[in-house]
Amino acid sequence: MTNSKYQSNTGARILATIIDYILIMCFTIIYVYQFGEPNEEGSYGVSGIKAMVPILFWFFYLPFCEWKTGTTLGHWVVGLKIISENGAELTLGQSLKRRIFDLVDISLCFGLVAFIVVISTEKRQRIGDIVAKTLVIKK
C-alpha cells in the first residue's frame, strides 16, 4: 500500500464520521423521546435497563459492523474501509479499541485532536487507529 492511499482520505474520513455520529445521535434522540420519561426540567431521560439500548446501538453500529464488514454506513458512503495494519482480518478487539478512543479523538475539541493526529502521522492514523493497529483506506 502506498502513502498516497492514506494521504487522500482525510476529508472522506471527516464526512464518514459526521454521517456515522449523526445517525447515532438521531437514533438516541428518537429512542429517548419514545421510551424515556419526562423529568422536572421538561426534557426526557432513560434510566436502568432502558439506558443500555443506545449503548448497544453504538456497539452494533460501530465496532460490530466494522469487525464484520470492515466499514460503517458513513465509511461505505465515502468509499473507505478499515483494515488491520498487518493485513490480517480485523478483529472485534481492534474495532472496540478504535471506537473507545473516539472519546479522545472525536469528543475533545469536536474532532480537532483526530484531525491533527491524522494529518501528522505517516499512515494517516488517529489515536484509536494507532492503538488498535488499524488503517482506514480507500476501497
Side-chain angles (χ1 to χ4, degrees):
M1 289 179 229
T2 65
N3 248 359
S4 63
K5 209 171 200 181
Y6 309 121
Q7 294 174 354
S8 61
N9 66 20
T10 305
R13 289 178 73 164
I14 291 169
L15 182 56
T17 300
I18 290 169
I19 292 168
D20 287 338
Y21 274 95
I22 284 175
L23 220 158
I24 290 168
M25 286 190 309
C26 287
F27 172 84
T28 302
I29 290 167
I30 291 167
Y31 174 79
V32 169
Y33 278 109
Q34 287 295 312
F35 299 101
E37 303 288 329
N39 59 28
E40 305 85 44
E41 293 130 20
S43 62
Y44 286 79
V46 291
S47 60
I49 197 78
K50 287 182 181 179
M52 291 300 296
V53 171
I55 295 166
L56 289 171
F57 179 79
W58 172 90
F59 173 79
F60 282 107
Y61 180 70
L62 291 175
F64 187 80
C65 285
E66 284 179 357
W67 170 51
K68 284 299 197 184
T69 67
T71 193
T72 62
L73 181 61
H75 284 75
W76 177 79
V77 165
V78 298
L80 298 176
K81 183 175 182 173
I82 299 105
I83 62 168
S84 184
E85 231 179 26
N86 65 6
E89 292 270 329
L90 188 67
T91 67
L92 181 58
Q94 284 176 297
S95 189
L96 274 170
K97 285 178 192 175
R98 284 186 88 246
R99 291 307 174 172
I100 288 170
F101 275 88
D102 283 359
L103 294 169
V104 175
D105 283 327
I106 298 166
S107 297
L108 293 178
C109 303
F110 303 102
L112 186 60
V113 171
F115 179 75
I116 291 169
V117 173
V118 166
I119 64 170
S120 301
T121 58
E122 180 183 344
K123 295 179 183 175
R124 303 302 184 224
Q125 295 168 291
R126 61 184 183 89
I127 296 169
D129 290 315
I130 294 167
V131 170
K133 295 184 169 85
T134 57
L135 302 167
V136 178
I137 62 166
K138 288 190 174 193
K139 287 191 219 179

